[in-house]
Amino acid sequence: MFRQASRLLSRSVSAAASSRSTTNRAFSTEVPSTIDSTFVESWKKVAPNMDPPQTPSSFMKPRPSTASSIPTKLTVNFVLPYASELSGKEVDMVIIPATTGQMGVLPGHVPTIAELKPGIMSVHEGTDIKKYFVSSGFAFLHANSVADIIAVEAVPLENIDASQVQKGLAEFTQKLASATTDLEKAEAQIGVEVHSAMNAALSG
Amino acid sequence: MASSAAVPFWRTAGMTYITYSNICANLVRNCLKEPFKAEALSREKVHFSISKWAGGKPEKPILRSDTPGV
């Protein structure tokens, strides 16, 4: 049985590879949702009183087209679970606290999905800079220069109480030192990270 | 083919992203200045009632709430 295995495996791989190269299938989102007329005609012959079935692509909205030239402004949608902080606002740049570091987003940014870490998000519009401390979330940067930023909690820096931050930092550093289980360690570590980020945000 | 993505420390400790995100949000809320802190905490209050079912009938419901007595 296993003597044939390599032959069978290689046969299926090569068949798939050759068929893949000959029939180059496009992704479902790239194929325009035109109705296949030959299918519709043969359907009507068989079931003339029923509508031909819809395909998933007919229900999908077409993807917003990417402008051929880079737009001058970035459209930002910044939402929280309880409020829509910025909705369709046109700005020059946003700097988001991604896990890979502070990321500056300009119009025409390459499409990216970035996970955010606790940190400062700043929205630059002309000479105005608005800063928020974001607890965590995601940023979706689309090809058409629209940025969707979602966060669970985002507060302007003035609303943060520095003494509470210091207290919290001391408390969690101490918890981290005395933690026993993995879960306790993780929670204490999160506490230390969030409070250090808030500290850095207030002093930076 | 093992995945080579770096796993965050909370994931290795068994925590999910949503738990991590909620912990971060709670920590930030606890460090707010006074009127904002009260608003945020009141916004996040939850009340719910749970009833266990036995023999096809619900038993006495248990009420869970951040403000007992409400």
Side-chain angles (χ1 to χ4, degrees):
Chain A
M1 176 175 67
F2 292 105
R3 261 191 317 152
Q4 311 293 348
S6 54
R7 180 176 63 85
L8 292 169
L9 281 172
S10 58
R11 180 195 63 183
S12 62
V13 164
S14 60
S18 58
S19 72
R20 213 179 297 134
S21 54
T22 48
T23 67
N24 254 324
R25 292 214 184 150
F27 290 115
S28 64
T29 47
E30 287 168 349
V31 174
S33 64
T34 48
I35 306 167
D36 185 358
S37 51
T38 49
F39 174 75
V40 170
E41 275 158 28
S42 40
W43 175 272
K44 286 217 164 23
K45 279 193 213 132
V46 176
N49 295 325
M50 277 169 62
D51 280 328
Q54 304 253 37
T55 53
S57 44
S58 64
F59 290 103
M60 284 180 59
K61 285 195 221 138
R63 215 174 252 222
S65 55
T66 314
S68 47
S69 68
I70 298 175
T72 48
K73 293 280 206 181
L74 183 66
T75 315
V76 176
N77 297 316
F78 180 31
V79 290
L80 305 171
Y82 51 87
S84 176
E85 198 53 53
L86 299 172
S87 172
K89 183 144 193 271
E90 307 237 320
V91 297
D92 297 322
M93 172 171 78
V94 289
I95 302 187
I96 57 176
T99 44
T100 51
Q102 295 286 114
M103 188 190 285
V105 182
L106 293 163
H109 197 281
V110 61
T112 311
I113 300 180
E115 184 191 336
L116 305 179
K117 66 176 180 214
I120 302 183
M121 188 188 91
S122 44
V123 179
H124 298 243
E125 168 65 20
T127 49
D128 273 340
I129 306 182
K130 226 172 155 213
K131 291 193 183 175
Y132 302 90
F133 184 84
V134 163
S135 70
S136 62
F138 285 92
F140 299 88
L141 312 173
H142 302 284
N144 54 352
S145 292
V146 170
D148 293 321
I149 304 173
I150 57 172
V152 179
E153 197 61 59
V155 294
L157 297 177
E158 308 82 58
N159 297 6
I160 304 180
D161 189 349
S163 56
Q164 296 262 22
V165 175
Q166 299 289 9
K167 243 182 16 176
L169 185 53
E171 183 193 332
F172 281 97
T173 325
Q174 200 259 330
K175 274 196 194 158
L176 185 54
S178 66
T180 44
T181 65
D182 258 350
L183 193 55
E184 273 176 35
K185 275 194 212 132
E187 285 177 5
Q189 177 79 4
I190 297 173
V192 168
E193 272 183 21
V194 174
H195 285 96
S196 330
M198 279 196 275
N199 221 352
L202 289 175
S203 47
Chain B
M1 204 192 316
S3 155
S4 57
V7 181
F9 64 90
W10 39 268
R11 178 80 62 184
T12 54
M15 206 187 278
T16 58
Y17 179 81
I18 194 80
T19 321
Y20 163 72
S21 188
N22 284 335
I23 293 179
C24 288
N26 279 320
L27 294 171
V28 172
R29 271 180 222 127
N30 283 330
C31 289
L32 292 176
K33 286 190 185 148
E34 227 352 278
F36 307 106
K37 187 171 177 178
E39 271 172 35
L41 295 179
S42 73
R43 191 200 320 132
E44 296 296 322
K45 280 202 162 74
V46 283
H47 307 268
F48 47 94
S49 100
I50 308 173
S51 12
K52 292 211 172 159
W53 286 64
K57 287 206 204 101
E59 295 177 343
K60 183 147 195 323
I62 309 170
L63 285 131
R64 289 262 146 85
S65 169
D66 283 356
T67 52
V70 169

